[in-house]
Amino acid sequence: MSDTTNVIELKNVIELKNVTKDYGDFKLDNVSFAVPEGSVCGFIGQNGAGKTTTINLILDVIKKDAGEISLFGKIVDKDSAPLREDIGVVFDEMGFHEFMTAKDINIMMKNIYKNWDSDEFFAYLKKFSLPAKKKCGTFSRGMRMKLQIAVALSHHAKLLVMDEPTSGLDPIVRNEMIGIFREFVLEEDHTILLSSHITGDLEKIADEVVFIDGGRIVLAGNKDEILEKHGILKCKKDDVEKVSKSLVVSMETSSFGAEVMVNDRQAAAKLYPEMVLEPAQLEQIMIYYVNAGKKL
Amino acid sequence: MGDHMKGLIIKDIMCLKKQLMIFTFVIIGVLVVSVMYVLSARFGNIASVGQEMLNMKENHLTEIDVKNLGSMALIMFMLLPIVTVCDMVNVFAADGKAGFFRIAGSFPVSLKKRVLARYMTIYALFGIGMAVDIVIAFVLSLITDMIKFTDFLGIIISAASLMSIYSACSILFCLLLGYGKEMYAQLLSIVSIIIGVLLANFGSVRKAIEKMMEADGEGDISGLWKILDFIKHKSYIMLIAAVIVSVASYVLSYMVAERKRGVI
């Protein structure tokens, strides 16, 4: 009997290495991260952190100043347009002309994507209760987002890149959309990069998390591991100094005491058994890291 | 034509839907008015006015002058379909308003092809405009001897070439200036064409001005007939100029678009 173990090597669908883009007043600084195939990667950060710029760079909508971007294992350069056949994109704003109907969009798209599937597009329209003959300028925000998703899913894309698709939507529609994303990643070679500042949505669906702040990647890795590692230590103000600085991300103090975000929950639990240690949520992790950045 | 580009051209034509509806009315209007004009010039009031002009000896007008004056109106009619068929500035304005450039950037279409699609739209629509004009010209040439069919063809080629030059310039300026500044792009295109024409004909323009000064207000329209003759018989020069400007504009537009990613 062979004792060799089958190791499944995960391919990275998206890979950024030291990517830089300098706008003068804002700089995306040495951004590096990878999104493995078959995963849902939540790209989090506050408004203006650099999420949209990063997505624009990945899609080659804007030109990078330095670094390397790979999609499906191939380096993105001026000849990599065909790679985008396999990418479905959803932006925070619809982008289609307001006079266009879904039917018009179908005519345009079937002449743009080789794998465009009109039947699937109209099936999605039906599923999302979107009218085919109504001008999309009259659509609500939720309908516009669903239209973009229908477009993104109708050319058999393997990667969905979405920039704040759930922002400004009510919880019902958001939940519905998360259901659609879940359905998409059921196929094992399907991957999602989902940028959002609504961390609750990502907590529900993401496998990986990349956290960007001020144009720099602050945290990247498996979501469960990140949640597992971080914790909030609740203590008296006077006890704060007892906490090892290497564990502290940042802290918040109030008249009732102090809350310290620690980056190693297990270590903190061993070192300070007298203090209350609670698991942290993604939103809290994001806030504490942003505050840490401000204090620097 | 690449499949991907076809989609973008279709989108551009969708943006020009309103303009193309106007184009339909213009075609019908031009056909009706020009036929009426030609008939009137042959049998009606315009023919009588022409005769009167010839009879007034103080005008110093020859039969050719009167014929040329009459044909000027016809030239205007022929220009209208081509002028109204396409203005890429409207496409830029619509794309800017919708934020289409981000979506376009995510399409599997290279930047080179995205820029080229704009030019293909222009030439596809000018092709339609020219075809319509040729039909109108053929109809008119059957009922008038004011302008021969071959001269009509010259006029159509000149008009299409001029509009191509204008459109090629406006694409470049739209890309250079960015979205929301389409009006300035239009203005700059017109100014550039005027400057270009003046520089290319510097000698003859100076002579014409000198002649006008010498004529002391009496007016000499022979210069005008030279232009008319050029439009009718030397349209190939305009066509060559249009090809050169279009190619130069495409190369420059691509360079600008590459430098300013996200503008097309």
Side-chain angles (χ1 to χ4, degrees):
Chain A
M1 202 173 82
S2 165
D3 60 354
T4 47
T5 325
N6 284 330
V7 179
I8 301 166
E9 203 184 314
L10 283 177
K11 279 191 284 177
N12 288 328
V13 172
I14 303 173
E15 212 170 330
L16 281 85
K17 285 180 194 160
N18 306 318
V19 174
T20 303
K21 175 77 187 172
D22 195 351
Y23 283 112
D25 55 345
F26 175 77
K27 189 180 180 187
L28 203 68
D29 202 5
N30 268 309
V31 168
S32 301
F33 69 88
V35 181
E37 186 179 43
S39 67
V40 177
C41 178
F43 193 33
I44 58 171
Q46 58 178 334
N47 290 331
K51 300 189 295 291
T52 301
T53 306
T54 309
I55 286 178
N56 283 343
L57 285 166
I58 291 171
L59 297 171
D60 205 28
V61 173
I62 53 172
K63 212 175 174 180
K64 62 185 183 301
D65 295 335
E68 195 180 280
I69 300 169
S70 306
L71 286 172
F72 306 105
K74 288 173 187 155
I75 289 171
V76 173
D77 55 25
K78 58 182 177 181
D79 300 319
S80 57
L83 289 177
R84 295 197 285 267
E85 280 283 357
D86 290 327
I87 307 176
V89 180
V90 178
F91 290 116
D92 52 344
E93 293 296 334
M94 182 175 64
F96 293 116
H97 299 76
E98 297 204 333
F99 61 80
M100 278 184 160
T101 63
K103 260 188 149 180
D104 292 335
I105 292 169
N106 175 57
I107 295 168
M108 175 175 74
M109 290 304 188
K110 73 179 176 191
N111 287 291
I112 286 177
Y113 287 99
K114 276 183 195 157
N115 298 328
W116 182 259
D117 189 336
S118 294
D119 294 337
E120 192 151 338
F121 178 64
F122 286 109
Y124 274 117
L125 292 183
K126 207 173 168 188
K127 188 177 173 185
F128 299 157
S129 309
L130 293 172
K133 291 178 186 170
K134 212 172 164 187
K135 287 180 180 175
C136 59
T138 60
F139 286 6
S140 66
R141 184 167 166 77
M143 288 165 89
R144 287 173 184 218
M145 282 301 167
K146 284 179 185 171
L147 176 65
Q148 281 202 78
I149 292 169
V151 170
L153 297 176
S154 298
H155 55 92
H156 305 292
K158 287 180 181 153
L159 167 66
L160 272 191
V161 177
M162 295 181 277
D163 188 11
E164 305 273 5
T166 54
S167 74
L169 298 177
D170 64 65
I172 308 289
V173 180
R174 263 169 41 205
N175 207 43
E176 208 180 321
M177 287 174 77
I178 284 168
I180 298 161
F181 304 154
R182 274 202 184 113
E183 225 171 272
F184 176 79
V185 285
L186 282 178
E187 297 271 337
E188 58 183 27
D189 62 340
H190 282 186
T191 310
I192 294 180
L193 174 68
L194 173 62
S195 113
S196 181
H197 59 267
I198 306 168
T199 50
D201 292 344
L202 297 174
E203 230 154 312
K204 286 182 197 164
I205 188 174
D207 306 306
E208 302 285 319
V209 170
V210 175
F211 173 34
I212 189 167
D213 189 45
R216 285 167 179 243
I217 301 294
V218 178
L219 206 60
N222 182 277
K223 179 196 76 184
D224 294 332
E225 282 173 18
I226 288 172
L227 289 175
E228 192 71 31
K229 269 174 75 182
H230 290 81
I232 296 175
L233 207 57
K234 293 189 172 176
C235 58
K236 288 178 197 161
K237 275 189 209 171
D238 301 338
D239 293 339
V240 168
E241 282 184 12
K242 288 183 196 167
V243 183
S244 162
K245 288 225 165 74
S246 62
L247 289 177
V248 178
V249 174
S250 73
M251 70 179 89
E252 272 181 10
T253 51
S254 68
S255 49
F256 301 107
E259 288 186 350
V260 182
M261 171 68 71
V262 289
N263 55 23
D264 191 338
R265 206 161 83 198
Q266 271 189 327
K270 275 184 194 166
L271 289 168
Y272 317 109
E274 73 282 6
M275 295 183 197
V276 178
L277 185 59
E278 287 179 356
Q281 290 181 324
L282 268 182
E283 187 174 280
Q284 288 169 312
I285 296 171
M286 185 170 108
I287 292 168
Y288 278 90
Y289 270 98
V290 169
N291 288 342
K294 280 179 190 164
K295 280 170 194 164
L296 282 175
Chain B
M1 190 196 302
D3 275 352
H4 308 307
M5 270 198 322
K6 211 163 98 187
L8 291 175
I9 294 168
I10 290 169
K11 187 275 302 169
D12 284 351
I13 291 172
M14 281 176 185
C15 288
L16 295 166
K17 218 187 259 176
K18 265 188 195 166
Q19 211 166 310
L20 291 175
M21 274 168 69
I22 296 170
F23 175 64
T24 316
F25 287 112
V26 168
I27 295 168
I28 298 165
V30 163
L31 189 63
V32 171
V33 175
S34 57
V35 168
M36 281 168 65
Y37 177 83
V38 161
L39 291 176
S40 174
R42 196 161 183 181
F43 310 108
N45 292 339
I46 296 171
S48 327
V49 172
Q51 196 55 52
E52 275 172 34
M53 282 168 88
L54 275 176
N55 294 341
M56 290 197 312
K57 285 190 177 151
E58 60 269 25
N59 276 343
H60 309 293
L61 288 175
T62 64
E63 204 170 319
I64 293 168
D65 290 334
V66 174
K67 203 174 171 182
N68 280 344
L69 276 172
S71 66
M72 290 293 276
L74 267 186
I75 291 172
M76 294 300 162
F77 292 142
M78 299 312 294
L79 287 177
L80 281 173
I82 292 173
V83 171
T84 48
V85 74
C86 176
D87 192 348
M88 286 310 283
V89 165
N90 292 334
V91 178
F92 268 95
D95 283 358
K97 198 178 158 201
F100 184 76
F101 52 93
R102 277 191 85 193
I103 292 195
S106 72
F107 290 157
V109 188
S110 66
L111 191 60
K112 215 179 254 181
K113 281 188 176 176
R114 290 212 301 274
V115 177
L116 187 60
R118 285 276 142 97
Y119 288 84
M120 299 290 271
T121 308
I122 295 178
Y123 299 117
L125 291 176
F126 281 149
I128 296 170
M130 279 178 75
V132 167
D133 250 1
I134 289 169
V135 173
I136 296 173
F138 180 72
V139 172
L140 293 179
S141 66
L142 292 177
I143 49 176
T144 183
D145 58 353
M146 211 185 288
I147 305 180
K148 285 188 286 182
F149 181 64
T150 49
D151 292 349
F152 266 128
L153 285 182
I155 294 163
I156 294 166
I157 292 168
S158 296
S161 303
L162 184 69
M163 283 311 291
S164 303
I165 292 170
Y166 164 75
S167 296
C169 289
S170 57
I171 290 179
L172 176 63
F173 287 123
C174 279
L175 287 171
L176 264 175
L177 300 175
Y179 290 111
K181 288 172 184 160
E182 291 82 12
M183 218 175 75
Y184 297 109
Q186 274 176 316
L187 203 68
L188 275 172
S189 306
I190 294 167
V191 171
S192 310
I193 292 170
I194 293 170
I195 292 171
V197 169
L198 288 178
L199 287 176
N201 301 285
F202 187 72
S204 40
V205 171
R206 203 182 64 187
K207 267 185 201 165
I209 293 169
E210 279 169 1
K211 216 170 181 183
M212 271 169 68
M213 306 281 265
E214 279 167 20
D216 206 19
E218 280 201 10
D220 179 13
I221 52 173
S222 62
L224 196 63
W225 301 154
K226 271 185 191 166
I227 297 171
L228 193 65
D229 192 55
F230 181 86
I231 291 170
K232 282 182 193 170
H233 303 121
K234 288 181 180 167
S235 54
Y236 64 90
I237 295 176
M238 292 282 281
L239 189 62
I240 292 167
V243 171
I244 293 168
V245 171
S246 298
V247 172
S249 161
Y250 169 66
V251 173
L252 290 172
S253 295
Y254 172 61
M255 282 160 71
V256 172
E258 184 64 54
R259 194 170 55 83
K260 294 169 75 178
R261 282 284 178 99
V263 293
I264 190 165

